[in-house]
């Protein structure tokens, strides 16, 4: 029984980290109708920037603060250079972001190298948790994710820019007529999505690895969370990411890990058949 | 000649032409002369091409997930080509080495192999280190009757999916198990758990090791196959039984680093001995992963430090690769040589040179002679074979080489035991004989 609880808890922790990354994917789709195939690479850029800042300063916490800001600036640049010219054409967005993904990976491979690297966790030590030695840093990472997710929702609901973002999302023409600067809102939204993925990278880097292809593996899980939660449904995305990770953790404790992954995919398929707009369709947006 | 009546075909009278015998003979003679000239000219071109450079293609992971290894395979191939050409080429002919980037992708690798053979006219191919690409390539190379040297470890390449055209000078999972498992069983523990990626390479390692450990009287717990692309390994590491004495892991690249990082943070290295194969830490400096691989035992093909095979050939090879003699790190960069595998992309050119010259190969149709020369080929410890003396076994086309058990101590590889080639040969009876297939 201990192992079931331990893996369910670990699923919750990992699900929260994934939720942070998937949330960025969801806001980009929800507002801009962009199916962003480069989102996993934004996460990877976060891990690589963390490694570079850490190498330069020797202090993880500086990287933790700077990397999301760097991600925001890079997101703004990418939006202007890549997304703005093709906005409104969903099919083109797939091609453009796929190309962007390849470019980012190859640039990182050329600059950072192809060999994976490791970042030591800034908080060391473990605690015994339901029969396993559990990394304290993971609990910290989950805490950061919770704060970032709540912070994002607070920004969305309690700031002028957040209100503009929601307004543009619900009715772009009316928002424009009311004087909302739509182009700025688009740029900020995309940049925020990049920044959240980069923050996810900074948080996850000491747990996973720093590698130019690390985003490729994260992207499918994020898409699953976004699809199950409902495309563009932000609270739904967070809930789905946690649900998926906890489910996989619990199933893994009973059976083969590959079966657990199959269960996740079956869950996604069932949701797509029964509730094509996501399991949380209709929830507050 | 009996002439036909024009009125027999009134519909197309203008098409029908009279052809006097003299004109026919003149036209036929002229046509024959032109055709003969063209044929002679064509044949001369063909002969000229075969007497020009010898083309040995290199199928290599220049980009993609295996590019940290591919860089070294490419560098090794280029070094071999330079050395061979400086020494007068192969049988007096210049060596040309066109490179096909597989993008670390089996579909792309197979497609580009066909192009390498058919368009670039590669007569022999030094192939991929990626097991998936290697297995996708062997049927193509065999169909095109082109000898193909692979560097991947999946045993099928010189086993169930091997052909008369597939060769491997390095080790496969069968050889790695035979070389390392008895030592690890004796020195590390009797109760084993194996954790590996959920695809052919990992399962192949598991099957080969399981057979040996159980045959020696050990216990092998249920295997843990991790889905590819997994980032969080805690759910899998949590399933490792408490009674495990030896945790045998087989991972690659980022997944490998994630494994060492997360298993260390769960303090598994304090509870059990960690044992693995060189592929798990290939092209990775132990210091770059901040001690995550400390105390782990690895089975290697070629020791990283010069001191454990301290001879002039190894020293010269290290100089050619521009790496340091302790960590195999490239001078002026962060790259660490994928030393246990990349040597094959250097030595295989010399293997082919030896077989081509011994068989008197001139052109494509002489290839069966090269294959027969390769079967049972002996190689001496030399600058052409800095990894050491070896044998390319006739039956299963597998290299019999020295192996090494190393341990990471203070960020450096320390060799605990050398497993000599002769011992390997006795441990590895051939399971296939490709010589029964006609060329």
């Amino acid at each position: 029984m201990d192992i079931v609880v331990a893996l369910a808890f670990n699923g919750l922790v990992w699900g929260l980290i994934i939720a942070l990354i998937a949330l960025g994917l969801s806001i980009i789709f929800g507002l801009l109708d962009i199916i962003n195939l480069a989102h996993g690479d934004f996460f990877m850029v976060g891990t690589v920037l963390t490694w570079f800042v850490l190498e330069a300063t020797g202090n993880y916490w500086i990287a933790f603060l700077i990397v999301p800001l760097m991600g925001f600036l890079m997101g703004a640049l990418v939006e202007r250079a890549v997304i703005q010219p093709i906005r409104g054409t969903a099919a083109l967005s797939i091609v453009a972001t796929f190309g962007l993904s390849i470019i980012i990976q190859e640039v990182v491979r050329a600059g950072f190298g192809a060999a994976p690297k490791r970042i030591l966790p800034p908080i060391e030590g473990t605690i015994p948790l339901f029969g396993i030695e559990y990394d304290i840093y993971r609990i910290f990472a989950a805490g950061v994710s919770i704060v970032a997710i709540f912070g994002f929702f607070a920004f969305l609901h309690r700031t002028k820019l957040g209100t503009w973002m929601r307004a543009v999302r619900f009715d772009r023409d009316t928002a424009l007529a009311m004087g909302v600067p739509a182009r700025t809102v688009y740029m900020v939204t995309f940049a925020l999505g990049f920044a959240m993925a980069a923050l996810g990278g900074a948080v996850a880097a000491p747990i996973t690895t720093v590698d130019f292809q690390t985003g490729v593996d994260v992207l499918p899980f994020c898409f699953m969370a976004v699809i199950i939660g409902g495309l563009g449904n932000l609270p739904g995305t967070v809930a789905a990411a946690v649900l998926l990770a906890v489910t996989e953790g619990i199933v893994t404790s009973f059976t083969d890990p590959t079966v657990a992954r199959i269960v996740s995919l079956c869950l996604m398929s069932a949701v797509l058949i029964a509730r094509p707009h996501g399991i949380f369709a209709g929830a507050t947006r | 000649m009996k002439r036909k009546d024009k009125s027999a075909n009134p519909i197309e009278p203008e098409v029908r032409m009279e052809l006097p015998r003299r004109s026919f003979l003149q036209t036929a003679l002229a046509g024959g002369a032109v055709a003969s000239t063209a044929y002679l000219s064509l044949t001369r071109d063909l002969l000229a091409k075969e007497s020009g450079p010898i083309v040995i293609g290199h199928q290599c992971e220049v980009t993609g997930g295996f590019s940290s290894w591919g860089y070294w395979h490419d560098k090794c191939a280029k070094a071999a080509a330079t050395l061979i050409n400086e020494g007068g080429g192969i049988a007096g002919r210049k060596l040309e080495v066109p490179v096909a980037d597989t993008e670390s992708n089996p579909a792309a690798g197979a497609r580009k192999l066909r192009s390498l053979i058919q368009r670039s006219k590669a007569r022999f191919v030094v192939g991929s280190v990626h097991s998936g690409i290697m297995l996708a390539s062997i049927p193509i190379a065999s169909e095109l009757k082109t000898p193909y040297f692979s560097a991947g470890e999946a045993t099928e390449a010189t086993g169930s999916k091997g052909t008369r055209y597939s060769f491997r000078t390095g080790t496969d999972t069968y050889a790695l198990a035979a070389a390392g498992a008895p030592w690890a069983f004796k020195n590390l523990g009797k109760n084993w758990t194996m954790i590996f990626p959920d695809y052919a390479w990992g399962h192949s390692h598991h099957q080969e090791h399981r057979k040996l450990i159980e045959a020696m009287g050990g216990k092998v717990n249920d295997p843990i196959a991790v889905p590819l692309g997994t980032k969080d390994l805690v759910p899998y590491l949590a399933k490792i039984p408490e009674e495990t004495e030896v945790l045998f892991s087989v991972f690659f690249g980022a997944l490998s680093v994630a494994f060492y990082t997360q298993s260390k943070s769960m303090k598994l290295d304090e509870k059990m001995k960690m044992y693995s194969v060189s592929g798990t830490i290939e092209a990775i400096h132990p210091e770059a992963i901040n001690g995550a691989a400390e105390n782990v035992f690895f089975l290697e093909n070629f020791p990283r430090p010069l001191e454990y095979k301290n001879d002039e050939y190894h020293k010269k090879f290290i100089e050619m690769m521009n790496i340091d003699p302790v960590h195999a790190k490239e001078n002026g960069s962060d790259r660490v040589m994928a030393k246990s595998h990349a040597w094959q992309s250097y030595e295989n050119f010399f293997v082919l040179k030896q077989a081509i010259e011994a068989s008197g190969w001139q052109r494509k149709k002489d290839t069966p002679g090269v294959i027969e020369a390769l079967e049972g080929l002996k190689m001496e410890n030399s600058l052409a074979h800095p990894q050491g003396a070896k044998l390319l076994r006739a039956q299963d086309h597998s290299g019999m080489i020295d192996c090494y058990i190393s341990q990471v101590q203070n960020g450096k590889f320390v060799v605990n035991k050398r497993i000599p080639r002769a011992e390997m040969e006795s441990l590895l009876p051939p399971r296939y004989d490709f010589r029964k297939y006609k060329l």
Side-chain angles (χ1 to χ4, degrees):
Chain A
M1 188 59 194
D2 268 4
I3 193 165
V4 180
V5 180
L7 294 185
F9 180 79
N10 180 65
L12 175 70
V13 167
W14 188 247
L16 284 165
I17 297 169
I18 291 290
L20 177 64
I21 306 159
L23 200 55
L25 185 67
S26 195
I27 57 166
I28 288 172
F29 178 81
L31 189 79
L32 305 174
D33 280 337
I34 297 285
I35 298 164
N36 184 14
L37 297 182
H39 197 73
D41 299 295
F42 296 171
F43 164 80
M44 176 270 287
V45 167
T47 64
V48 172
L49 287 175
T50 305
W51 187 86
F52 275 117
V53 175
L54 188 58
E55 282 290 296
T57 64
N59 189 331
Y60 172 82
W61 301 111
I62 294 175
F64 178 75
L65 292 173
I66 287 178
V67 166
L69 296 175
M70 293 164 92
F72 186 89
L73 292 175
M74 291 169 91
L77 277 173
V78 169
E79 199 275 338
R80 278 292 138 96
V82 181
I83 305 301
Q84 186 76 27
I86 49 112
R87 198 169 52 76
T89 321
L92 268 184
S93 76
I94 295 174
V95 178
T97 56
F98 181 65
L100 180 65
S101 165
I102 294 170
I103 291 168
I104 292 174
Q105 283 179 36
E106 288 304 310
V107 166
V108 172
R109 187 180 67 82
F112 170 77
K117 294 183 175 72
R118 180 194 179 206
I119 291 176
L120 283 174
I123 302 169
E124 291 191 31
T126 57
I127 50 165
L129 189 81
F130 307 109
I132 60 170
E133 288 293 327
Y134 203 74
D135 203 348
I136 296 170
Y137 177 76
R138 282 178 176 249
I139 298 167
F140 166 78
V144 169
S145 300
I146 291 172
V147 170
I149 290 165
F150 275 100
F152 174 73
F153 282 112
F155 165 79
L156 211 55
H157 290 274
R158 298 194 187 279
T159 66
K160 192 175 175 181
L161 194 56
T163 308
W164 283 354
M165 283 168 68
R166 287 185 295 132
V168 171
R169 184 166 169 231
F170 281 111
D171 191 338
R172 180 178 177 271
D173 293 337
T174 306
L176 276 171
M178 301 288 286
V180 173
R183 282 191 66 175
T184 306
V185 170
Y186 289 137
M187 191 184 71
V188 169
T189 305
F190 194 87
L192 265 180
F194 198 131
M196 289 175 80
L199 175 62
V203 168
I207 298 172
T208 61
T209 47
V210 186
D211 171 59
F212 79 103
Q213 287 202 313
T214 203
V216 176
D217 302 328
V218 166
L219 189 66
F221 204 87
C222 291
F223 265 113
M224 281 166 70
V226 171
I227 290 166
I228 291 176
L231 290 169
N233 183 335
L234 305 182
T237 299
V238 175
V242 173
L243 178 71
L244 270 173
V246 171
T247 306
E248 247 191 64
I250 292 172
V251 177
T252 302
S253 64
F254 292 111
T255 178
D256 193 76
T258 305
V259 174
R261 183 60 50 88
I262 292 168
V263 168
S264 294
L265 291 167
C266 289
L267 179 66
M268 187 178 77
S269 305
V271 168
L272 281 173
I273 293 165
R275 294 181 68 88
H277 298 293
I279 204 166
F280 300 106
T284 310
R285 292 185 171 197
Chain B
M1 184 189 281
K2 186 182 176 185
R3 292 187 183 179
K4 286 186 182 174
D5 184 359
K6 280 185 182 179
S7 63
N9 190 351
I11 300 165
E12 340 173 74
E14 70 280 7
V15 174
R16 298 172 61 79
M17 294 170 67
E18 293 295 328
L19 188 64
R21 191 179 340 193
R22 185 172 295 172
S23 298
F24 171 78
L25 287 170
Q26 281 172 345
T27 311
L29 280 169
V34 169
S36 304
T37 313
Y39 174 77
L40 284 171
S41 156
L42 207 73
T43 314
R44 192 191 60 205
D45 283 352
L46 278 174
L47 288 172
K49 216 161 203 175
E50 287 290 322
S51 63
I54 291 179
V55 181
I56 301 180
H58 188 213
Q59 186 198 33
C60 179
E61 286 63 47
V62 179
T63 58
F66 269 67
S67 54
S68 60
W69 295 29
Y71 172 83
W72 292 102
H73 284 261
D74 188 41
K75 193 170 182 176
C76 279
K78 287 188 166 84
T82 304
L83 204 59
I84 287 171
N85 283 328
E86 282 172 1
I90 299 176
R93 289 162 68 177
K94 191 185 170 207
L95 168 64
E96 269 182 14
V97 184
V99 182
D101 174 18
T102 66
E103 301 161 34
S104 306
N105 175 313
R111 192 178 69 244
K112 290 189 180 180
L113 174 71
R114 202 173 272 284
S115 170
L116 200 58
I117 297 170
Q118 293 181 320
R119 297 185 67 188
S120 304
K121 306 288 181 202
R123 298 303 186 215
F124 310 91
V125 175
V126 171
S128 172
V129 71
H130 184 297
S131 287
I133 295 169
M134 165 185 93
L135 293 174
S137 299
I138 288 170
I140 295 168
S142 305
E143 174 203 326
L144 300 174
K145 298 192 180 304
T146 306
Y148 177 90
F149 276 79
S150 52
E153 284 176 357
T155 196
E156 291 88 343
T158 45
S160 60
K161 291 183 180 161
T163 72
R164 197 84 192 264
Y165 292 87
S166 60
F167 294 87
R168 170 168 41 204
T169 39
T171 46
D172 61 354
T173 53
Y174 177 41
L176 290 168
W183 180 88
F185 180 78
K186 188 179 168 192
N187 294 283
L188 304 182
K190 313 274 186 273
N191 186 309
W192 285 48
T193 298
M194 302 189 199
I195 183 166
F196 49 85
D198 194 3
Y199 74 102
W201 182 55
H203 285 280
S204 183
H205 268 292
H206 166 243
Q207 283 157 12
E208 298 291 356
H209 278 81
R210 182 182 199 114
K211 265 186 244 169
L212 283 173
I213 298 301
E214 287 182 343
M216 288 184 280
K219 182 176 187 315
V220 180
N221 300 308
D222 285 343
I224 301 170
V226 178
L228 287 176
T230 298
K231 288 284 160 209
D232 179 23
L233 286 160
V234 168
Y236 314 106
L237 299 175
K239 295 190 82 174
I240 294 166
E242 283 284 317
E243 63 272 21
T244 301
E245 292 172 315
V246 182
L247 180 59
F248 176 63
S249 62
V250 180
F251 287 108
F252 164 77
L255 197 52
S256 166
V257 177
F259 167 76
Y260 287 121
T261 301
Q262 294 175 32
S263 59
K264 199 161 189 76
S265 76
M266 288 176 74
K267 297 184 176 170
L268 291 178
D269 59 328
E270 293 174 14
K271 297 174 187 168
M272 52 198 75
K273 295 278 196 298
M274 312 275 273
Y275 172 62
S276 188
V277 289
S278 62
T280 303
I281 198 156
E282 197 74 307
I284 298 171
H285 194 311
E287 284 172 4
I289 54 174
N290 290 306
E294 196 62 22
N295 295 324
V296 179
F297 292 91
F298 293 96
L299 180 71
E300 296 187 289
N301 278 183
F302 202 169
R304 283 194 195 188
L306 171 67
E307 67 177 285
Y308 299 107
K309 185 184 177 290
N310 198 354
D311 60 36
E312 58 182 304
Y313 310 120
H314 189 187
K315 197 174 176 187
K316 178 71 182 161
F317 182 68
I318 283 172
E319 280 170 24
M320 272 194 288
M321 291 297 111
N322 191 27
I323 57 176
D324 80 72
V326 178
H327 299 290
K329 187 164 167 273
E330 190 175 42
N331 297 320
S333 86
D334 285 339
R335 292 190 183 98
V336 173
M337 186 174 181
K339 205 171 172 185
S340 271
H341 291 81
W343 62 267
Q344 294 174 75
S345 291
Y346 172 85
E347 289 197 12
N348 286 341
F349 287 94
F350 291 94
V351 176
L352 281 165
K353 174 181 159 67
Q354 196 178 331
I356 289 167
E357 289 175 347
S359 68
W361 185 91
Q362 289 289 320
R363 56 186 68 82
K364 176 93 176 166
K365 75 175 182 62
D366 302 329
T367 300
V370 176
I371 290 173
E372 282 162 1
L374 286 169
E375 288 170 338
L377 191 82
K378 285 181 180 159
M379 294 149 261
E380 296 303 321
N381 184 31
S382 60
L383 186 55
H385 301 288
Q387 189 275 340
K390 53 184 67 68
L391 165 76
L392 195 53
R393 195 156 60 182
Q395 296 96 320
D396 59 0
H397 295 188
S398 296
M400 294 291 117
I401 63 170
D402 291 349
C403 287
Y404 302 82
I405 304 270
S406 304
Q407 187 185 27
V408 176
Q409 291 176 10
N410 300 316
K412 188 186 155 196
F413 279 79
V414 176
V415 172
N416 280 30
K417 179 179 164 61
R418 172 174 163 265
I419 301 123
R421 178 168 59 99
E423 195 177 322
M424 289 284 286
E425 282 178 54
S426 67
L427 292 166
L428 283 166
R431 298 189 288 198
Y432 293 86
D433 189 350
F434 299 124
R435 292 173 303 176
K436 66 186 178 191
Y437 300 119
K438 280 185 184 166
L439 281 163

